[in-house]
Amino acid sequence: MHLWWLDAVLYEVYIRSFADSGGDGIGDLAGIATRLPYLRDLGVDGIWITPFYRSPMADHGYDVADHRDVDPLFGDLATFDALLTDAHRHGLKVLVDLVPNHSSNAHPAFRAALAAGAGAPERDLYIFRDGRGENAAQPPNNWVSVFGGPAWTQVADGQWYLHLFAPQQPDWNWRHPQVRADHDTTVRFWLDHGVDGFRIDVTHGLVKNDLLPDNPPAPGETITFFRERAEPHAWDQDGVHEIYQRWRAIVEDYDRRDGKARALVGETWVADPRRLARYVRPDELHLTFAFSLLAAPWSATAWRSAITEDLAATAEVGAPATWVLSNHDVIRPASRYGDGDGDGDGDGDGDGAIGLRRARAALLTLLALPGPVFLYQGDELGLPEVDVPPEARQDPVWERSGRSRPGRDGARVPLPWSEHAQPFGFSAAGVTPWLPQPDAWADLTAQAQASDPMSTLVLTRGALALRRALACLGGGALRWRDDLAPGCLAFDRPGVPGAPDQAGLTCVMSTAERDTTCALPGRLILASGPVGYDGVTLALPPDTTAWLAPR
Ligand code: NOJ
């Protein structure tokens, strides 16, 4: 069986913002279909599509009311099936999102739980508890929601229900057999439709400490997604693992039937690489994002330790590390790495040119690492984070945090495809996209970049083509180089005996503040920016990555 996921490059399609075919300013399934040739030509192996299920959209689809149907905003089941067939025809795998931690408050099971009243068995499907204090007017414990505010909401009869995210996203009770059985049905439903796997939302959250004890008092507001240390009773409980064993068994059953491999990919924000690796033990998920690299600052030392630790921890359980620098929840790399104003908040209000240079260097290094890689839509265009004006913000984080955190809209602005003005080919001319696109994006459209040899799009296409062509890239070993240039991240990808590129490849990334030189006889294959090279000595400016074939 070909385990394609071991070294695949997958592209995250944030459906609302990818391509709008319906003319309502919101991306949809048919829109994705129109852009499949672009994705094929980009050179990715497949896509992960964010939730398109029936939802009131309180968290833009991560509040699911019916996990086995398509929301009319995005199309219908027939559109999905047609998209899947088309994607497969283009040689692209398709992963769909599974959102098992919570449902929408519009889910029939939650409505039934509310209607049934305190103490009714229907309430056991979720996490309802009586409050504390006088008249039980205080929440059952001190847990806070990831989006801000308490993690509990009180209902009319006085009970409280738990939601680790927005109040419109009540957490399922994963101790309940019916919850498990219902999700098995959902997994099978999409496998029957022919998907190649799932990206699974908040894999570290499904099971909570049964006693729901208070978490230690928070030192201040936790704004990171790595929360298991500050909130040890809510996250990364040992009980989650049997859920993934269950789904692995289901998936392997399908694999055995037709000899095709499918993949389960966890969104697991657990900081300790060894705890993280437990999610990809041989009978659990196939992959889980290595978010420690995403969270690492722009420093060769920080990158090296994140990569080393993730590789070591996953190797111990026989899984690859899964690399990612970007997604719809975090500040885009072209801004995150460019925080030149020095206030350390990573909001990218520093030097845009530095940020883009670093994002390009980071992308090239990412694609040279061993194992699967996930790119986020727009990374290939080097898009910056957008400072969405307060009146246009849609992410629930903005309101839930008392307007103290801008939220994630800045990473979710609809893609600029072509033309010189909004909607930049995202929607039909004249349509207003659901989040405003900056005028400056006229220079960043896919169309403009396609004909610019120095563009980030051309760089990404080149890197992906090489990753396909060179046997030493993709899966395999990584050997650190300490002999090249201090202050640089440098590693070899050893050649595969007998392959045309059997000399392998050396990747050098400079995070230094000054130009560096290193002795590296060979051939220059690709660089993220201008470098000097005479076949022996590489002159590497700051914030630049080069790929070389050694002689
Ligand atoms: C992680 C998703 O990526 C994010 O967008 C969502 O808000 C939360 N999980 C809750 O589902």
Side-chain angles (χ1 to χ4, degrees):
M1 196 179 320
H2 173 52
L3 302 182
W4 55 270
W5 42 265
L6 277 175
D7 61 358
V9 178
L10 294 155
Y11 180 102
E12 178 191 350
V13 171
Y14 187 72
I15 186 166
R16 291 178 74 85
S17 303
F18 187 67
D20 167 28
S21 77
D24 58 359
I26 297 175
D28 47 45
L29 291 169
I32 300 174
T34 64
R35 299 294 182 181
L36 289 174
Y38 169 86
L39 294 168
R40 179 202 55 208
D41 296 347
L42 184 62
V44 296
D45 300 296
I47 56 176
W48 143 38
I49 311 176
T50 57
F52 47 81
Y53 319 109
R54 279 197 186 262
S55 163
M57 305 291 162
D59 186 21
H60 297 130
Y62 282 97
D63 48 321
V64 180
D66 181 350
H67 220 320
R68 303 194 279 274
D69 200 4
V70 172
D71 195 279
L73 193 61
F74 300 128
D76 55 24
L77 275 170
T79 335
F80 177 77
D81 289 339
L83 170 63
L84 190 59
T85 307
D86 232 12
H88 286 161
R89 211 167 38 80
H90 283 98
L92 296 167
K93 307 282 183 200
V94 176
L95 306 188
V96 296
D97 223 306
L98 189 66
V99 191
N101 180 66
H102 41 266
S103 72
S104 158
N105 59 346
H107 193 291
F110 189 74
R111 290 201 165 142
L114 282 187
E122 286 87 343
R123 291 229 162 156
D124 289 345
L125 265 57
Y126 292 89
I127 303 175
F128 279 89
R129 292 288 185 280
D130 293 329
R132 292 200 288 204
E134 209 178 315
N135 300 326
Q138 297 303 315
N141 67 24
N142 70 350
W143 293 10
V144 291
S145 142
V146 175
F147 292 166
W152 296 91
T153 290
Q154 195 169 25
V155 300
D157 56 38
Q159 276 209 309
W160 298 74
Y161 68 88
L162 179 70
H163 51 85
L164 292 180
F165 295 89
Q168 297 91 336
Q169 293 167 296
D171 282 40
W172 290 108
N173 168 19
W174 271 91
R175 300 285 185 203
H176 201 295
Q178 212 173 308
V179 171
R180 294 178 180 228
D182 187 59
H183 282 80
D184 289 354
T185 306
T186 298
V187 168
R188 289 203 166 89
F189 178 87
W190 292 107
L191 290 174
D192 287 339
H193 274 262
V195 303
D196 302 290
F198 299 90
R199 173 270 190 191
I200 304 163
D201 200 54
V202 280
T203 31
H204 53 312
L206 276 52
V207 172
K208 285 84 180 163
N209 180 324
D210 285 329
L211 302 174
L212 299 174
D214 275 344
N215 280 319
E221 200 185 5
T222 322
I223 53 163
T224 160
F225 288 112
F226 289 128
R227 304 174 77 97
E228 78 282 5
R229 286 195 187 129
E231 300 172 349
H233 302 303
W235 307 101
D236 193 29
Q237 306 295 301
D238 288 345
V240 294
H241 295 284
E242 63 186 47
I243 300 168
Y244 306 126
Q245 289 166 354
R246 197 177 163 116
W247 293 346
R248 178 72 174 242
I250 295 178
V251 163
E252 287 191 348
D253 191 32
Y254 278 74
D255 290 358
R256 261 191 305 273
R257 277 191 243 159
D258 63 4
K260 291 191 190 140
R262 293 159 180 81
L264 297 171
V265 188
E267 187 225 13
T268 316
W269 284 93
V270 167
D272 176 351
R274 300 183 71 133
R275 293 290 301 183
L276 179 68
R278 301 171 82 234
Y279 290 76
V280 286
R281 288 177 290 194
D283 58 348
E284 298 195 32
L285 307 174
H286 301 86
L287 304 174
T288 194
F289 299 118
F291 285 128
S292 51
L293 182 61
L294 184 155
W298 184 248
S299 130
T301 318
W303 273 53
R304 179 157 168 174
S305 69
I307 295 167
T308 306
E309 286 178 17
D310 278 318
L311 283 175
T314 46
E316 246 176 68
V317 295
T322 302
W323 308 110
V324 59
L325 293 178
S326 181
N327 63 37
H328 64 280
D329 292 327
V330 300
I331 294 172
R332 283 196 178 272
S335 297
R336 205 173 67 223
Y337 294 132
D339 197 20
D341 62 351
D343 67 4
D345 66 359
D347 66 358
D349 49 5
D351 183 333
I354 292 180
L356 179 59
R357 214 160 61 215
R358 291 179 178 172
R360 290 166 58 102
L363 182 77
L364 222 54
T365 301
L366 191 79
L367 290 171
L369 292 175
V373 170
F374 276 72
L375 302 178
Y376 175 46
Q377 67 183 38
D379 286 354
E380 79 280 20
L381 304 175
L383 294 185
E385 184 83 357
V386 176
D387 186 11
V388 176
E391 65 281 6
R393 289 182 190 156
Q394 311 244 357
D395 184 3
V397 169
W398 171 236
E399 292 297 341
R400 289 284 301 165
S401 68
R403 303 194 165 192
S404 65
R405 289 154 55 190
R408 302 159 293 178
D409 294 319
R412 300 175 174 182
V413 171
L415 284 194
W417 290 98
S418 57
E419 318 309 327
H420 299 283
Q422 181 168 282
F424 295 116
F426 166 73
S427 296
V431 173
T432 306
W434 72 283
L435 287 172
Q437 299 161 304
D439 294 342
W441 280 16
D443 296 332
L444 294 180
T445 64
Q447 189 181 45
Q449 294 202 31
S451 52
D452 172 2
M454 302 308 282
S455 72
T456 305
L457 178 59
V458 169
L459 176 73
T460 311
R461 281 189 183 151
L464 287 169
L466 283 166
R467 199 180 141 108
R468 280 196 173 192
L470 300 180
C472 62
L473 289 180
L478 171 149
R479 264 198 316 254
W480 292 112
R481 297 275 304 248
D482 293 309
D483 56 325
L484 286 178
C488 288
L489 183 85
F491 57 86
D492 286 340
R493 299 300 314 278
V496 178
D501 58 317
Q502 50 184 305
L505 182 133
T506 303
C507 174
V508 198
M509 173 170 95
S510 171
T511 61
E513 281 175 13
R514 296 202 180 81
D515 289 358
T516 35
T517 52
C518 39
L520 204 52
R523 277 180 305 132
L524 181 65
I525 307 278
L526 191 65
S528 65
V531 298
Y533 190 55
D534 60 5
V536 178
T537 305
L538 174 71
L540 199 60
D543 308 324
T544 307
T545 295
W547 287 1
L548 293 106
R551 209 169 37 226

